[in-house]
Amino acid sequence: MIGGQDIVIDVRNVLRSTVLDYVVRCIQDRWPHPIVVDGATGNRFDRFANIPFSLVSELLVYRDRDAFDSWKDLGADPQNANTMIHAILGDDSVTLVVDDVAESTMASTVKAVQETLEPRNFWGRAAAA
Amino acid sequence: MTADEQQREAVIQILREVNLDSIFTPPTMKAVLFDRMEKFAAVYAKKVRGVPPGVLPASASLRDILAEHARNAHRVYMLLEAIAFQCSPEILVMAWMVLLGARIERVEYKYVREDSSALAVTLQLSDLTTEVTFQSSEHWDAAALRFLALSKANDQPMIEGFHYLWIPPRKLWNHDFYVETAQGSFGAADIAPTASPTPRWEIQQLFTNLPARDIGSVSVHVHGNPVFAHRGSEVNRPTLELAWNSLLRKYGDASMNQRPRREG
């Protein structure tokens, strides 16, 4: 990340294995061919179907293969700004780390993730009440 | 036990995680479940033949489903719930493809009282070119609409896929006891055989965002102390004792040492 910004979303009432599933789906709506990497193991997933959401808690989602290669070559270089989203699942929340939350794709992705997870969290709480 | 029987037993275990086990306990319902899963696998294999290689897994056998449970439990939960809601194999395949990453492009549903119930769903697969359409005039397939994960994208309607529904632990809620403690919530259900004079309590730890977890059982005896049998890891033993003591405090010895009265 190049001076990343954190967006924290409450997911304490959302089934844990679904949280990053929703996050990746929302990102995929904007970046149709992302490369997803497990932050803990470095395992890379080229296809959504292969991501083991029950087993991961930290994902790096690159815009596409070019972005992935560029990050590998240059790391957190300004040239790579806004081409990767880091999603970290905690006990009660998920944190999205983005370079610039005001950038249009980032803003739209963050909003979509919030609009997807916040109602699920609310409904989950209602169901458990 | 044959490999096939082991796989079926593993599916039954998964049903317990999502509180669907009571629905499929009668042998006739078990037969319905596995028949539906076989038909689902057959329809999936047929549908996937028309899809470019590598876009979707080639099969959805019982073994595949169990492997998927280890990686993505929520996908299997939703599939089993859709089976419980009597969705047809065709619509189960549609849901499975969505769970594996296909996008829902279009959903059309038309209902005419005492006449028709027609569902049509068009998916775009992850290659972003292949579209697959599923149609059904089976009324129970409309239950699939209950699983839609509604969302919005820039204030426009979006369906992000299908999601698993939290089904309350029916047996625990309807029949026996429940306690909340600082260490968690627990439910107790009497599972002793009919002829037993004393209860055997199956204890589950209940979560708001995870399936219930069996932590063991407590057998009550007419003479002597209760016998604890924790399930799985040794760490469940103190949790089981904590749950039992909390239940005793809340309901008292008299309630916990006798079999509960049940309606029907």
Side-chain angles (χ1 to χ4, degrees), chain B residues 160-208:
Chain B
E160 283 297 351
F162 287 104
H163 65 101
Y164 139 87
L165 302 173
W166 187 72
I167 295 175
R170 190 176 134 191
K171 192 165 69 173
L172 299 175
W173 277 26
N174 285 357
H175 301 298
D176 303 322
F177 302 111
Y178 170 82
V179 66
E180 283 183 14
T181 74
Q183 289 77 23
S185 304
F186 303 91
D190 178 24
I191 55 165
T194 312
S196 170
T198 53
R200 179 175 167 220
W201 300 105
E202 183 181 65
I203 311 284
Q204 288 194 320
Q205 187 166 11
L206 307 173
F207 303 92
T208 53

Side-chain angles (χ1 to χ4, degrees), chain A residues 21-22 25-26 29-30 112 115-116 120 123, chain B residues 94-95 98-99 101-109 119-124 144-153 155-163:
Chain A
D21 183 315
Y22 284 126
R25 277 176 194 272
C26 290
D29 287 336
R30 283 133 195 99
E115 286 184 331
T116 300
R120 303 254 109 68
W123 296 329
Chain B
M94 180 275 293
V98 171
L99 291 165
R103 290 181 184 186
I104 299 175
E105 287 295 310
R106 237 178 348 269
V107 177
E108 292 171 56
Y109 177 64
L119 177 67
V121 182
T122 301
L123 307 182
Q124 187 181 60
L145 301 173
R146 300 175 70 158
F147 299 100
L148 292 177
L150 303 181
S151 179
K152 279 192 171 182
D155 295 324
Q156 298 303 310
M158 174 71 91
I159 299 174
E160 283 297 351
F162 287 104
H163 65 101

Side-chain angles (χ1 to χ4, degrees), chain B:
Chain B
M1 202 186 274
T2 66
D4 187 51
E5 286 168 343
Q6 281 177 358
Q7 287 177 354
R8 289 176 176 223
E9 184 51 37
V11 171
I12 300 294
Q13 288 290 340
I14 297 170
L15 291 171
R16 292 195 184 110
E17 294 173 16
V18 280
N19 303 314
L20 286 173
D21 50 321
S22 58
I23 294 174
F24 292 108
T25 299
T28 50
M29 286 305 293
K30 264 192 196 127
V32 167
L33 168 69
F34 292 114
D35 177 64
R36 188 56 56 100
M37 290 186 86
E38 272 177 29
K39 285 179 176 152
F40 155 72
V43 174
Y44 179 88
K46 197 173 156 193
K47 282 271 182 192
V48 94
R49 258 180 247 140
V51 168
V55 173
L56 284 167
S59 60
S61 66
L62 212 51
R63 196 172 63 179
D64 296 322
I65 299 298
L66 291 172
E68 192 61 33
H69 174 256
R71 294 190 299 261
N72 287 293
H74 58 291
R75 293 178 180 165
V76 177
Y77 294 162
M78 190 264 148
L79 178 73
L80 293 173
E81 287 184 346
I83 293 174
F85 282 122
Q86 303 184 54
C87 289
S88 68
E90 179 89 358
I91 292 304
L92 293 174
V93 169
M94 180 275 293
W96 192 243
M97 287 186 177
V98 171
L99 291 165
L100 294 175
R103 290 181 184 186
I104 299 175
E105 287 295 310
R106 237 178 348 269
V107 177
E108 292 171 56
Y109 177 64
K110 188 179 175 191
Y111 160 76
V112 179
R113 186 181 168 91
E114 295 188 25
D115 182 72
S116 62
S117 174
L119 177 67
V121 182
T122 301
L123 307 182
Q124 187 181 60
L125 303 187
S126 58
D127 61 353
L128 300 182
T129 51
T130 310
E131 285 203 343
V132 190
T133 297
F134 295 82
Q135 290 179 317
S136 170
S137 54
E138 166 54 56
H139 184 43
W140 293 123
D141 279 335
L145 301 173
R146 300 175 70 158
F147 299 100
L148 292 177
L150 303 181
S151 179
K152 279 192 171 182
N154 298 320
D155 295 324
Q156 298 303 310
M158 174 71 91
I159 299 174
E160 283 297 351
F162 287 104
H163 65 101
Y164 139 87
L165 302 173
W166 187 72
I167 295 175
R170 190 176 134 191
K171 192 165 69 173
L172 299 175
W173 277 26
N174 285 357
H175 301 298
D176 303 322
F177 302 111
Y178 170 82
V179 66
E180 283 183 14
T181 74
Q183 289 77 23
S185 304
F186 303 91
D190 178 24
I191 55 165
T194 312
S196 170
T198 53
R200 179 175 167 220
W201 300 105
E202 183 181 65
I203 311 284
Q204 288 194 320
Q205 187 166 11
L206 307 173
F207 303 92
T208 53
N209 61 344
L210 288 170
R213 187 169 67 95
D214 278 348
I215 56 172
S217 65
V218 181
S219 301
V220 174
H221 295 277
V222 177
H223 303 292
N225 294 323
V227 175
F228 293 85
H230 65 274
R231 185 184 285 254
S233 162
E234 196 63 35
V235 298
N236 283 336
R237 170 75 190 204
T239 312
L240 181 64
E241 289 184 4
L242 179 145
W244 175 248
N245 290 327
S246 303
L247 287 161
L248 276 180
R249 271 197 301 276
K250 181 173 178 181
Y251 294 102
D253 286 347
S255 294
M256 299 309 295
N257 289 339
Q258 65 182 5
R259 304 204 64 178
R261 277 193 200 148
R262 287 180 176 163
E263 291 172 8

Side-chain angles (χ1 to χ4, degrees), chain A residues 25-45:
Chain A
R25 277 176 194 272
C26 290
I27 296 173
Q28 215 168 233
D29 287 336
R30 283 133 195 99
W31 293 343
H33 300 289
I35 300 289
V36 180
V37 174
D38 178 350
T41 63
N43 288 340
R44 197 177 105 178
F45 310 102

